[in-house]
Amino acid sequence: MSKIQAVRGMNDILPEEIGYWHYFEDIVKQLLASYGYSEIRLPIIEKSQLFHRGVGSGTDIVEKETYDFTDRSDEALTLRPEGTAGCVRAMIEHGLLRNQLQKLWYLGPMFRYERPQKGRYRQFYQFGVEVYGSDHISQDAELLSLTWRLWQKLKLNEYVTLQINNLGSNEDRQAYIDALVEYLTPLKDQLDADSQRRLTKNPLRILDTKDENTKTLLINAPKMEDFINTSSQSQFLALYHYLTSIGIPVEVNPYLVRGLDYYSDTVFEWVTDKLGAQGTICAGGRYDKLVEGLNGPPTPAVGFAMGIERIILLLKTLDQAPIKSNRPDIYIISDTYSVFESMQYIEGIRQRFPQLVIEQNTTLGSFKSQFKKADKSGADLAIVIAENELSTQSCIVKFLRKEKEQICLTQDKLYGFLRDYFSTKNKNAELSIL
Ligand code: ATP
Ligand code: MG
């Protein structure tokens, strides 16, 4: 029988890599708390209808990327391809949108049936932020400065730029789409196949084409900014000035549109040139009509999502993240006679020094092989508690990283020794009796 492998495009995150994830997650949690945002955890499966109405049935995601299935009672369900629709559903369901500003973040896996390649997977993780209840551009500005601060904390700020665009109100956008379709329809035969399909399904996405010929045809197309109402234009200008004033490298990209139907006014992407084709590490914008569209109270909203795998690829490429290793401080060696007593002994150490990483060898092979493993583990000290030591209530401490004679200590002396040893190693090994 052949070995069962993981589903294509769905990755294991192995222990050797997890340090990057913890590094990212710790910084994110601390940063979002400092801006007064709360975490929300949402189901991974939602009713299919939510994404049809929330993301939009003409979008790439709903048209060809969702994992849809029916459960045992024939309910049509979908593995979430993004987090916004579920977040809005939860806000409406729990009545959390009346006269209040909600500032939320989430982190978790999303699922899209795409062609797997570097930076593009079928299960991938997003960290996302959503804010409900403010229609003012200062909220967009807060989100972008928060992201900028995150890039600074991750030391990625030199490698990313911000692209922004203004889609105007829903009415402006619709008027522009009509003009764009009117301009492109007579040229339909000259468009690439994707753009031809989009001309009826999702015309705005044509602006985002990678096809050089279609790009040339777009040069003389109607310009979006000519369709945007003056209030939206002046808010966008205020945003632009704010971003430049705090030193964010920002470019206005008039062709920037988002894949999802629900965006209006500000849209943005953070991009890097260090990841090849999958260079967008964060994308978002304003979606003032989505809550209403899902039968909630009219509520302005703005948010973004970032692809964590892409950020980790970037951190690895730049090789500058201070990743903590899981190296033990102490490696415990015992034998079949002494193992349970030694475990009790170790519990005493754990109780007093909860910050120390203590690894116990439970294979109980020969002392020679246990010492080899202790050495390989990177531990500072090996503590041996074998039959001989038990009878004298003592242990042997061996220094694995220093040319120093091993010592024999009684249990009481050991605590004092560990406190001194690890406090000089800056392990904050204060005696803490719980
Ligand atoms: P792309 O143009 O790369 O397909 P998108 O517009 O579909 O991106 P969004 O739906 O805006 O992406 O998702 C936000 C972010 O999530 C993206 O900017 C990217 O960093 C990440 N992302 C999207 N799809 C994937 C995927 N299949 N694998 C890994 N990361 C992804
Ligand atoms: Mg996509």
Side-chain angles (χ1 to χ4, degrees):
M1 223 166 54
S2 60
K3 267 189 259 168
I4 298 174
Q5 297 195 317
V7 178
R8 203 165 113 78
M10 306 209 175
N11 301 312
D12 302 307
I13 300 165
L14 300 175
E16 64 190 38
E17 201 183 308
I18 203 72
Y20 285 94
W21 290 77
H22 291 163
Y23 173 64
F24 177 79
E25 289 166 10
D26 289 349
I27 288 183
V28 154
K29 281 182 193 163
Q30 195 270 330
L31 181 71
L32 272 288
S34 78
Y35 275 76
Y37 285 59
S38 305
E39 184 182 4
I40 183 165
R41 296 193 187 180
L42 300 157
I44 284 169
I45 298 174
E46 297 273 1
K47 294 184 180 170
S48 302
Q49 216 197 356
L50 175 70
F51 300 112
H52 286 262
R53 281 174 49 196
V55 177
S57 38
T59 57
D60 279 1
I61 293 185
V62 168
E63 224 174 43
K64 41 185 198 194
E65 295 175 1
T66 49
Y67 279 89
D68 301 310
F69 63 100
T70 50
D71 70 2
R72 288 169 198 268
S73 47
D74 268 343
E75 181 144 46
L77 301 175
T78 296
L79 294 184
R80 63 179 185 193
E82 53 94 56
T84 304
C87 192
V88 171
R89 195 259 320 129
M91 288 294 106
I92 298 171
E93 191 167 330
H94 299 285
L96 296 173
L97 295 174
R98 304 253 173 223
N99 300 323
Q100 42 195 319
L101 189 59
Q102 290 284 359
K103 298 188 172 190
L104 305 165
W105 67 272
Y106 58 83
L107 190 154
M110 306 295 160
F111 303 84
R112 297 186 193 176
Y113 191 80
E114 303 199 69
R115 191 169 68 78
Q117 53 198 289
K118 185 183 166 204
R120 190 177 293 288
Y121 313 102
R122 289 181 174 173
Q123 173 172 336
F124 63 99
Y125 285 76
Q126 278 186 344
F127 155 62
V129 172
E130 316 285 355
V131 177
Y132 302 98
S134 167
D135 63 1
H136 197 266
I137 200 79
S138 57
Q139 186 56 59
D140 311 37
E142 182 191 58
L143 282 189
L144 288 167
S145 39
L146 179 160
T147 356
W148 179 236
R149 187 166 291 280
L150 176 62
W151 305 140
Q152 287 174 317
K153 286 197 170 237
L154 294 168
K155 299 184 189 68
L156 296 178
N157 48 309
E158 279 177 38
Y159 310 96
V160 294
T161 51
L162 175 65
Q163 301 204 339
I164 55 173
N165 193 21
N166 186 8
L167 304 180
S169 67
N170 275 40
E171 295 74 35
D172 300 342
R173 200 181 50 165
Q174 197 48 55
Y176 175 67
I177 291 174
D178 293 345
L180 184 67
V181 172
E182 192 177 322
Y183 168 80
L184 288 174
T185 305
L187 306 171
K188 186 171 177 185
D189 295 345
Q190 300 173 50
L191 297 174
D192 62 284
D194 257 353
S195 299
Q196 289 193 9
R197 201 172 42 82
R198 285 176 170 156
L199 194 56
T200 45
K201 296 231 161 171
N202 193 354
L204 214 49
R205 277 303 296 275
I206 298 175
L207 296 186
D208 195 26
T209 182
K210 304 280 174 288
D211 183 84
E212 288 305 323
N213 193 42
T214 305
K215 277 189 188 170
T216 319
L217 293 172
L218 285 173
I219 293 173
N220 293 320
K223 299 275 168 280
M224 198 183 303
E225 60 174 307
D226 298 334
F227 289 76
I228 290 169
N229 66 78
T230 48
S231 140
S232 176
Q233 273 185 16
S234 64
Q235 290 216 30
F236 188 67
L237 201 63
L239 176 67
Y240 182 81
H241 285 316
Y242 171 73
L243 297 173
T244 49
S245 76
I246 60 168
I248 295 185
V250 57
E251 266 166 36
V252 177
N253 173 358
Y255 295 111
L256 181 69
V257 290
R258 303 286 312 118
L260 317 182
D261 273 355
Y262 50 63
Y263 287 102
S264 55
D265 296 307
T266 321
V267 289
F268 58 84
E269 286 190 358
W270 286 94
V271 292
T272 173
D273 59 7
K274 297 266 176 271
L275 291 179
Q278 270 59 250
T280 303
I281 54 171
C282 172
R286 201 161 252 293
Y287 53 97
D288 289 347
K289 295 290 174 228
L290 179 64
V291 178
E292 245 175 300
L294 290 171
N295 294 347
T299 308
V302 55
F304 65 73
M306 41 183 86
I308 303 180
E309 284 85 351
R310 292 187 192 177
I311 293 168
I312 286 174
L313 275 171
L314 192 55
L315 290 171
K316 281 187 180 165
T317 308
L318 299 169
D319 195 21
Q320 57 183 20
I323 301 306
K324 273 189 252 154
S325 78
N326 209 20
R327 191 182 66 76
D329 298 302
I330 302 174
Y331 196 95
I332 306 289
I333 293 173
S334 62
D335 59 21
T336 46
Y337 303 102
S338 63
V339 62
F340 285 107
E341 281 85 350
S342 82
M343 283 174 82
Q344 282 185 18
Y345 204 110
I346 296 153
E347 287 307 314
I349 306 177
R350 291 192 194 283
Q351 181 85 353
R352 285 166 178 79
F353 305 98
Q355 70 286 7
L356 292 183
V357 181
I358 307 172
E359 185 174 330
Q360 171 146 39
N361 185 305
T362 54
T363 64
L364 308 179
S366 69
F367 282 120
K368 194 173 163 209
S369 88
Q370 290 196 58
F371 271 117
K372 258 195 185 159
K373 287 181 183 136
D375 208 32
K376 216 172 145 209
S377 75
D380 271 89
L381 303 177
I383 299 185
V384 187
I385 305 163
E387 206 184 355
N388 284 346
E389 286 72 45
L390 278 186
S391 58
T392 53
Q393 297 256 309
S394 63
C395 64
I396 291 168
V397 176
K398 213 168 147 47
F399 298 88
L400 298 173
R401 314 284 143 213
K402 282 185 191 159
E403 289 294 326
K404 203 172 162 186
E405 274 295 296
Q406 64 183 42
I407 50 176
C408 182
L409 295 171
T410 60
Q411 198 164 0
D412 291 346
K413 291 251 167 63
L414 177 69
Y415 297 145
F417 165 78
L418 291 177
R419 189 187 51 216
D420 295 345
Y421 185 87
F422 286 105
S423 63
T424 57
K425 286 198 64 123
N426 209 7
K427 253 282 175 183
N428 188 26
E430 281 304 301
L431 210 63
S432 61
I433 310 288
L434 297 178

